[in-house]
Amino acid sequence: MPALPKGIEDKIYSELKKIKNHYDKKKKEKDFDRGECEIKIKNLFIQVFVELFYDYMNYLTVIDDYPVFDINCLLQNRPSCDEKFYKEFSETQLFQLFLQNVIKDESMIYF
């Protein structure tokens, strides 16, 4: 996987460090909730995904119930230094599954 776009990796590291510090403190106080920690981490990665692909609907077309994502058009609206990341990420199974879920569930269109 190529490097994340500028600022995203720092954001993830910073937020994970805050989560870790918070839960280290909670462990000392015997007030640790693993489920709460997992939710905070999941939410962080959802925030990052949204930040990276906030306008994905502008590049998505559905043909015969199959999502077609125009990565070249998206790349015209992203810094050229991030091109490798977006190209490779758009080819992952995770991203393809996300697109398939969007077209199956109309409520996700607003995601």
Side-chain angles (χ1 to χ4, degrees):
M1 193 71 167
L4 289 164
K6 186 177 182 174
I8 296 293
E9 188 172 344
D10 293 339
K11 176 181 180 171
I12 292 171
Y13 179 78
S14 172
E15 292 300 315
L16 286 175
K17 190 173 179 180
K18 287 178 191 175
I19 292 169
K20 181 184 181 314
N21 290 340
H22 175 77
Y23 285 100
D24 284 348
K25 180 181 173 190
K26 290 281 197 173
K27 275 184 175 180
K28 287 179 184 174
E29 297 170 357
K30 308 279 192 239
D31 190 23
F32 180 74
D33 182 351
R34 185 181 191 94
E36 185 182 344
C37 181
E38 290 173 359
I39 288 171
K40 286 183 179 276
I41 292 170
K42 287 177 186 179
N43 286 341
L44 170 61
F45 282 91
I46 289 171
Q47 289 171 5
V48 168
F49 188 83
V50 168
E51 190 171 328
L52 291 169
F53 292 98
Y54 63 92
D55 58 348
Y56 75 94
M57 287 298 293
N58 296 334
Y59 314 105
L60 180 63
T61 305
V62 179
I63 300 174
D64 294 328
D65 292 329
Y66 186 78
V68 178
F69 190 76
D70 188 347
I71 187 64
N72 293 321
C73 194
L74 174 113
L75 291 175
Q76 292 174 1
N77 295 294
R78 297 296 190 270
S80 60
C81 60
D82 298 334
E83 183 175 312
K84 185 175 181 183
F85 170 82
Y86 282 103
K87 275 187 177 180
E88 289 189 23
F89 190 82
S90 70
E91 295 170 357
T92 64
Q93 185 176 6
L94 173 70
F95 190 68
Q96 295 304 315
L97 182 61
F98 168 74
L99 295 177
Q100 289 171 2
N101 285 332
V102 166
I103 65 169
K104 288 179 185 174
D105 183 357
E106 290 184 13
S107 67
M108 287 191 65
I109 289 173
Y110 302 104
F111 175 63

